[in-house]
Amino acid sequence: MERITELNRRYGIPHQVSFSQEPNGFVFVDVTNPQATARIALQGAQIIHWSPKGEAPVIWLSEAASFLPGKSIRGGAPVCWPWFGPHETQRDFPAHGFARTTLWEISGVESRPDGTTKLVFHLPESATPKNQWPHASTLESHITIGAHLEVDLVTRNQGNHPLTLGQALHTYFQVGDIRTVRLHGLDGCSYLDKVDGGVCKVQQGAVNFTQETDRIYLGTTHNVVIEDPQMQRQIHIAKRGSASTVVWNPWIEKAAKMGDLGENGYLHMVCVENANAAEDVVMLAPETDHHLWVRYSTTALTST
Ligand code: TA6
């Protein structure tokens, strides 16, 4: 318990930022400010809740999510790094990399003049499995909590050779009913359809959801918008430093097999992930940084 006392002493801000620990050791940081509330797990620096003031949660968390050290959490905004999906050659390496199941450390907290709260987390070098990632690099996540949610994932190549970097902010967004949701901004874009053997197709119009959907839209550096008529809102997803947009809903059968999406959980979530995956992976030169930056915001959907 002294760890939590020390974290609150060093980084806590009364009535704004506080740390807590579950009996199994899981550490959370809770943020409350005039614009929003949020909760972040220290494991993976994973945002698991964000609600702008007076709004329903924007980030979805499974009611059946388990918080077990070293196990991925179902929901929130998992950090997939330093690869996306299965490892290219080592099938026994964890899917989506090791960052999301590793215990990060907090290195800064700031109550900002504009009313937002900024937290900086880093992946400890000592926690990086050298057999999986034998490279000199650092990873930080700069999270700004307010009416908008901003995440800046910063990778630094400290070595003397280029790094191939796959990554994603694998964010689960809360929606009223996936069957009525439409995702705008990908019309005409090419995508790999992982539900159809990975064949390359071209998106026609808005993305809607009538079955398991698992797509990597390539060469998509632009913003997209989730239209949710049931919750009467739009979720705006702005990004920089990401060339792939991954769209995923497991639908009925896959959700049942996965077992941790909760009763009909698939109906209330959609993953829209800002990524660098497949042929969009980043070649990071020595002594350079890469920023994967996103900003989530919401607007009311006026019923037309
Ligand atoms: O981003 C979509 C995806 O790659 C799907 O193929 C599915 O595996 C999903 O991620 C969840 O992966 P996880 O390892 O968190 O169960």
Side-chain angles (χ1 to χ4, degrees):
M1 193 48 84
E2 66 285 350
R3 178 150 174 253
I4 290 301
T5 307
E6 179 58 14
L7 281 169
N8 279 311
R9 185 187 66 77
R10 283 192 65 187
Y11 299 107
I13 302 177
H15 314 299
Q16 186 175 163
V17 177
S18 67
F19 294 80
S20 61
Q21 186 164 19
E22 299 290 297
N24 70 358
F26 235 79
V27 175
F28 296 102
V29 47
D30 285 296
V31 177
T32 301
N33 65 37
Q35 298 182 20
T37 58
R39 169 167 267 209
I40 302 163
L42 210 49
Q43 176 174 290
Q46 187 162 337
I47 301 163
I48 57 172
H49 172 83
W50 169 59
S51 286
K53 193 169 178 63
E55 273 208 50
V58 181
I59 302 287
W60 177 85
L61 180 70
S62 171
E63 60 192 25
S66 54
F67 295 96
L68 301 171
K71 297 289 290 173
S72 60
I73 302 165
R74 183 64 63 204
V79 173
C80 302
W81 187 94
W83 59 84
F84 178 83
H87 187 275
E88 202 170 357
T89 56
Q90 306 296 323
R91 288 302 174 199
D92 59 328
F93 285 6
H96 293 321
F98 51 81
R100 64 174 175 166
T101 51
T102 301
L103 194 61
W104 292 45
E105 290 177 357
I106 191 157
S107 39
V109 174
E110 182 191 2
S111 177
R112 295 158 70 94
D114 65 359
T116 61
T117 310
K118 180 173 181 181
L119 303 97
V120 180
F121 299 85
H122 67 272
L123 185 65
E125 200 277 336
S126 57
T128 302
K130 286 302 173 200
N131 66 317
Q132 297 180 24
W133 187 249
H135 306 297
S137 65
T138 61
L139 177 64
E140 289 185 348
S141 180
H142 298 234
I143 300 172
T144 304
I145 309 283
H148 302 163
L149 175 64
E150 281 191 29
V151 181
D152 188 8
L153 202 58
V154 188
T155 301
R156 173 161 300 161
N157 180 355
Q158 296 179 310
N160 55 15
H161 56 273
L163 293 180
T164 301
L165 189 59
Q167 57 187 176
L169 206 56
H170 191 300
T171 304
Y172 292 71
F173 293 95
Q174 177 150 332
V175 295
D177 182 338
I178 189 65
R179 296 167 299 191
T180 67
V181 163
R182 291 156 65 81
L183 177 64
H184 300 282
L186 295 169
D187 183 20
C189 297
S190 301
Y191 64 91
L192 304 179
D193 186 345
K194 290 169 59 178
V195 173
D196 188 9
V199 295
C200 190
K201 301 177 180 177
V202 177
Q203 181 60 38
Q204 308 293 330
V207 182
N208 53 36
F209 301 86
T210 58
Q211 61 183 25
E212 180 184 353
T213 305
D214 194 349
R215 303 174 181 178
I216 302 176
Y217 289 83
L218 299 167
T220 53
T221 55
H222 53 277
N223 304 344
V224 295
V225 181
I226 298 170
E227 178 191 336
D228 182 348
Q230 187 158 49
M231 293 189 78
Q232 290 282 296
R233 75 178 170 191
Q234 291 180 309
I235 300 172
H236 302 266
I237 300 170
K239 67 173 185 177
R240 289 195 296 267
S242 156
S244 316
T245 306
V246 180
V247 180
W248 178 60
N249 184 284
W251 213 248
I252 305 166
E253 285 77 22
K254 179 124 188 214
K257 281 187 200 140
M258 297 178 82
D260 60 355
L261 277 102
E263 185 68 29
N264 288 326
Y266 79 96
L267 283 174
H268 303 295
M269 52 72 61
V270 63
C271 281
V272 181
E273 307 159 35
N274 298 302
N276 290 298
E279 58 233 52
D280 289 332
V281 293
V282 172
M283 289 304 288
L284 188 57
E287 300 304 323
T288 61
D289 292 354
H290 179 272
H291 290 253
L292 192 164
W293 175 88
V294 298
R295 183 186 63 229
Y296 304 140
S297 56
T298 61
T299 53
L301 181 65
T302 46
S303 44
T304 45

